[in-house]
């Protein structure tokens, strides 16, 4: 490959809306984002979608179509100072142009609260039009004041038809590949490995073409694609399978109560530039699913870790992440509540028609009282020990036990209480 040329995804990046592939629900004729662009009445918005679906490309097309000044920041490397410098530059340029410049922030979910706060005034005043790009739900990652000033547009993974269009264009229109005599014999491996990611698809195609540098004609088959990717996994999949392998090893090390392995995989992720909020979210899930009621404080610490990481960002965020990782890995484990839910979901899906017993129903009207709603309900706090034996399950499910306490210090206490309340279910003769 000619090293002077940019990579294939950059060479194939469209410059106009008509050349843009995918997201017809947003940029198709008569759709909301296209109407906004064609009218020139542009307001701040956030593009939320998986990697490689055209978020950055769309932002660039909008700026070029509307002939707007275009600033871009990466939330991975930019700080409050960088944000303020862009805003100051935009203010100075407003003396010479009526149209507000566009500030595109890639991975805006990585901005901490202080960085997002720095944007608020400029967005509200219209000094800049903010276009944020994120792979994470903005409701969780973007502060409410900023989110309320932005529309959110959801982008979807590219479908097979979209990927086919991109593939055909690359083979026939790219200045390099169009001269290589490439014939696409099979597409299954190409499309499967790309996972709806345009950038990944084009990277794979370029790897395959480069592997056949001395061939007069290149026949792209499933086997050729698979063989090439096995040899070039580090190049092809920097944020793909290796990403998921390491997070999997991280969670399984915590589940296996090995704090040393868990902290090692945490270090691997942080050194590789993994989003610290992604790690913090996984810690919350592990605290619920794997530690569970064996140590209820685990979820409290994991949630606190998520909040702290969101507030302070890197590099300091690595410290609470390490603390939480070691705590979860060193805690006793129980998935009893998780398994109880799985069992209950199975039963609930089998029959969605089971009626709530009349004595458990609310009776806000006289008619409902006359029909027997709430009749016979016993208020637990009126009885000794704040407990009274009454049936809560629908007819046909009486006595069903979903939650089975695991054997650990915390759940032993819960089990003792349940044995006192429900000896027929949790006592020695229980189910």
């Amino acid at each position: 490959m000619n090293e002077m040329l940019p990579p294939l995804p950059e060479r194939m990046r469209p410059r106009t809306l008509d050349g843009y592939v995918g997201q017809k629900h947003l940029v198709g004729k008569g759709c909301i984002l296209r109407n906004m662009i064609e009218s020139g009445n542009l307001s701040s918005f956030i593009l939320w979608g998986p990697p490689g679906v055209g978020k950055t490309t769309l932002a660039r097309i909008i700026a070029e179509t509307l002939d707007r000044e275009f600033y871009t920041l990466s939330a991975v490397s930019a700080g409050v100072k960088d944000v303020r410098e862009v805003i100051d530059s935009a203010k100075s340029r407003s003396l010479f142009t009526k149209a507000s410049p566009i500030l595109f922030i890639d991975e805006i979910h990585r901005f901490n609260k202080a960085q997002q706060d720095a944007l608020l005034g400029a967005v509200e005043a219209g000094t800049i039009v903010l276009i944020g790009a994120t792979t994470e739900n903005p409701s969780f990652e973007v502060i409410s004041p900023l989110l309320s000033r932005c529309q959110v547009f959801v982008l979807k993974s590219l479908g097979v038809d979209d990927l086919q269009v991109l593939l055909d264009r690359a083979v026939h229109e790219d200045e390099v590949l169009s001269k290589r005599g490439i014939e696409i014999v099979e597409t299954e491996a190409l499309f499967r490995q790309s996972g709806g990611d345009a950038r990944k698809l084009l990277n794979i195609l370029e790897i395959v073409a480069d592997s056949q540098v001395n061939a007069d004609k290149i026949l792209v088959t499933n086997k050729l694609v698979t063989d090439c990717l096995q040899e070039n996994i580090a190049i092809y999949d920097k944020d793909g399978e290796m990403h998921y392998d390491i997070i999997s090893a991280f969670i399984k090390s915590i589940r296996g109560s090995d704090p040393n392995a868990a902290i090692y995989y945490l270090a691997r992720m942080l050194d590789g530039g993994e989003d610290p909020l992604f790690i913090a979210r996984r810690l919350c899930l592990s605290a619920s699913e794997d530690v569970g009621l064996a140590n209820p404080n685990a979820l409290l610490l994991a949630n606190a870790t998520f909040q702290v990481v969101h507030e302070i960002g890197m590099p300091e965020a690595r410290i609470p992440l390490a603390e939480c990782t070691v705590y979860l890995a060193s805690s006793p484990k129980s998935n009893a509540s998780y398994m109880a839910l799985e069992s209950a979901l199975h039963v609930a899906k089998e029959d969605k028609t089971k009626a709530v017993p009349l004595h458990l129903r609310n009776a806000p009207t006289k008619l409902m009282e006359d029909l027997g709603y709430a009749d016979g309900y016993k208020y637990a706090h009126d009885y000794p020990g704040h407990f009274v034996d009454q049936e809560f399950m629908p007819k046909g499910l009486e006595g069903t036990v979903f939650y089975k306490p695991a054997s650990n210090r915390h759940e032993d206490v819960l089990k003792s209480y349940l044995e006192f309340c429900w000896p027929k279910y949790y006592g020695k003769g229980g189910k």
Side-chain angles (χ1 to χ4, degrees):
M1 183 178 68
N2 188 341
E3 293 183 359
M4 298 299 293
L5 289 174
L8 180 60
E10 189 60 37
R11 301 200 303 268
M12 296 304 300
R13 190 186 293 275
R15 302 291 188 264
T16 66
L17 273 182
D18 290 335
Y20 186 79
V21 177
Q23 318 310 327
K24 294 297 184 186
H25 63 295
L26 296 177
V27 299
K29 297 293 184 183
C31 293
I32 181 170
L33 194 48
R34 191 179 192 109
N35 289 343
M36 184 189 293
I37 297 166
E38 291 179 346
S39 70
N41 186 21
L42 194 66
S43 58
S44 295
F45 59 87
I46 293 173
L47 300 171
W48 171 28
V53 295
K55 297 186 288 292
T56 303
T57 296
L58 187 54
R60 291 184 179 181
I61 288 174
I62 291 170
E64 193 165 326
T65 301
L66 298 180
D67 194 24
R68 299 279 188 101
E69 189 78 20
F70 187 69
Y71 299 94
T72 180
L73 293 175
S74 171
V76 176
S77 56
V80 173
K81 180 174 178 289
D82 301 293
V83 172
R84 288 175 177 160
E85 285 178 354
V86 168
I87 292 172
D88 289 341
S89 178
K91 286 178 180 177
S92 65
R93 288 183 176 274
S94 66
L95 300 173
F96 307 101
T97 178
K98 293 182 179 179
S100 299
I102 293 171
L103 170 58
F104 175 71
I105 300 180
D106 194 19
E107 299 189 82
I108 193 171
H109 59 275
R110 295 202 184 198
F111 261 11
N112 61 31
K113 184 178 183 297
Q115 292 166 311
Q116 293 185 37
D117 280 338
L119 293 166
L120 274 176
V123 171
E124 189 169 27
T127 305
I128 57 168
V129 171
L130 172 67
I131 301 180
T134 178
T135 56
E136 305 293 339
N137 189 333
S139 299
F140 301 132
E141 310 301 346
V142 178
I143 59 174
S144 296
L146 185 58
L147 192 61
S148 68
R149 291 163 174 79
C150 299
Q151 297 185 67
V152 176
F153 297 124
V154 180
L155 281 70
K156 304 173 183 177
S157 295
L158 301 184
V160 169
D161 291 344
D162 296 327
L163 295 173
Q164 187 67 57
V165 170
L166 291 169
L167 189 60
D168 291 341
R169 282 186 187 174
V171 169
H172 298 108
E173 299 176 16
D174 178 63
E175 57 185 306
V176 176
L177 298 190
S178 62
K179 301 172 184 176
R180 297 291 310 277
I182 297 175
E183 180 181 341
I184 308 296
V185 179
E186 296 171 310
T187 59
E188 189 273 332
L190 279 170
F191 293 167
R192 173 169 46 81
Q193 296 285 1
S194 71
D197 182 324
R199 182 168 54 247
K200 191 173 286 187
L201 173 71
L202 297 176
N203 279 334
I204 295 171
L205 180 61
E206 190 164 42
I207 288 171
V208 170
D210 288 345
S211 74
Q212 307 293 303
V213 66
N214 296 319
D216 295 328
K217 187 176 182 63
I218 301 174
L219 301 178
V220 178
T221 63
N222 291 335
K223 184 178 185 305
L224 178 60
V225 170
T226 302
D227 291 345
C228 287
L229 293 187
Q230 288 175 345
E231 294 176 6
N232 294 274
I233 188 67
I235 301 173
Y236 146 70
D237 211 11
K238 177 182 176 184
D239 299 314
E241 289 183 22
M242 185 63 72
H243 159 86
Y244 290 109
D245 286 346
I246 292 179
I247 192 65
S248 175
F250 176 64
I251 293 300
K252 287 173 181 173
S253 298
I254 292 175
R255 184 179 299 144
S257 298
D258 186 340
N260 299 300
I263 208 76
Y264 166 74
Y265 290 116
L266 173 64
R268 284 279 300 273
M269 288 188 287
L270 294 175
D271 183 64
E274 182 60 81
D275 181 358
L277 284 170
F278 170 81
I279 301 171
R281 278 191 294 274
R282 295 311 181 273
L283 288 171
C284 289
L285 291 173
S286 180
S288 300
E289 180 182 347
D290 297 319
V291 178
L293 292 173
N295 182 0
N297 289 327
L299 183 56
L300 299 177
L301 179 62
N303 184 59
T305 299
F306 179 86
Q307 296 299 326
V308 170
V309 169
H310 184 67
E311 290 286 336
I312 66 175
M314 288 293 283
E316 291 84 356
R318 73 191 192 281
I319 302 169
L321 286 172
E323 178 185 350
C324 187
T325 295
V326 171
Y327 185 81
L328 297 189
S330 304
S331 291
K333 306 297 187 295
S334 171
N335 68 344
S337 56
Y338 168 65
M339 295 307 296
L341 176 61
E342 290 297 297
S343 298
L345 282 172
H346 177 72
V347 172
K349 287 177 181 178
E350 282 185 340
D351 186 353
K352 299 180 175 66
T353 64
K354 290 190 180 298
V356 173
L358 284 175
H359 67 281
L360 296 182
R361 299 187 193 185
N362 193 23
T365 69
K366 180 66 167 61
L367 175 60
M368 290 178 174
E369 287 182 11
D370 293 343
L371 291 174
Y373 282 36
D375 187 29
Y377 171 66
K378 299 173 183 176
Y379 187 58
H381 296 295
D382 288 341
Y383 294 83
H386 302 272
F387 172 80
V388 59
D389 188 351
Q390 62 183 323
E391 186 57 62
F392 294 92
M393 282 287 198
K395 188 174 181 180
L397 290 179
E398 299 94 333
T400 304
V401 174
F402 293 119
Y403 172 58
K404 299 175 182 178
S407 179
N408 57 72
R409 181 167 60 90
H410 287 280
E411 284 184 282
D412 285 345
V413 175
L414 299 181
K415 185 178 180 182
S416 294
Y417 177 71
L418 292 173
E419 287 175 346
F420 165 77
C421 295
W422 305 104
K424 54 188 174 182
Y425 305 141
Y426 285 98
K428 292 182 179 179
K431 297 182 180 180

